[in-house]
Amino acid sequence: QVQLAESGGGSVQSGGSLRLSCAASGSTSSIACMGWFRQAPGKEREGVATIQRYVGTSIADSVKGRFTISRDNAQNMLYLQMNSLKPEDTAMYYCAARGASPYSCTYDRGPTFVYWGQGAQVNVSS
């Protein structure tokens, strides 16, 4: 089992920056792919970015060039640096992880993720 805990959410004005962190605990050596997903009120969950254990990232077009995903395997941490935030980025952001899988580690593979955090709220005002 893997436990995930997000932190770093908050409120910011349009154009501002935030960094989300996700601390993983438990059977962390089994984690192969991690990612960030978000869900705005009244909308479906969407993938934001994913990262493989050692190399390779997948970034949604809506945030490409503004968001950066990274991980520190030694510290069992996942990060999402969000710059040039827009009001449409307002959502609950979830950290997710899974073990080895035949599916690609990409942001459109949300249903393949097994472990999920409780979420961190991000509010961007205009």
Side-chain angles (χ1 to χ4, degrees):
Q1 290 289 323
V2 172
Q3 295 78 45
L4 302 171
E6 302 94 338
S7 61
S11 297
V12 65
Q13 288 190 326
S14 180
S17 298
L18 282 174
R19 188 175 85 152
L20 299 180
S21 300
C22 173
S25 59
S27 301
T28 56
S29 61
S30 68
I31 297 174
C33 175
M34 299 188 77
W36 291 97
F37 298 83
R38 68 185 183 185
Q39 187 167 22
K43 294 187 176 181
E44 293 187 354
R45 184 186 66 198
E46 64 173 346
V48 176
T50 54
I51 184 167
Q52 298 179 56
R53 185 170 184 84
Y54 295 112
V55 66
T57 61
S58 174
I59 312 294
D61 289 343
S62 59
V63 304
K64 194 169 292 183
R66 300 187 297 121
F67 291 12
T68 302
I69 187 171
S70 61
R71 65 191 284 180
D72 183 335
N73 293 328
Q75 299 295 323
N76 297 314
M77 294 293 296
L78 177 72
Y79 303 100
L80 185 69
Q81 178 66 44
M82 304 183 291
N83 298 327
S84 301
L85 282 160
K86 304 175 180 180
E88 51 263 44
D89 295 319
T90 293
M92 184 71 81
Y93 284 71
Y94 297 93
C95 170
R98 70 173 199 215
S101 169
Y103 299 101
S104 59
C105 181
T106 53
Y107 66 87
D108 59 338
R109 295 291 189 179
T112 69
F113 283 75
V114 176
Y115 307 106
W116 293 83
Q118 294 298 307
Q121 181 67 40
V122 172
N123 296 312
V124 185
S125 59
S126 58

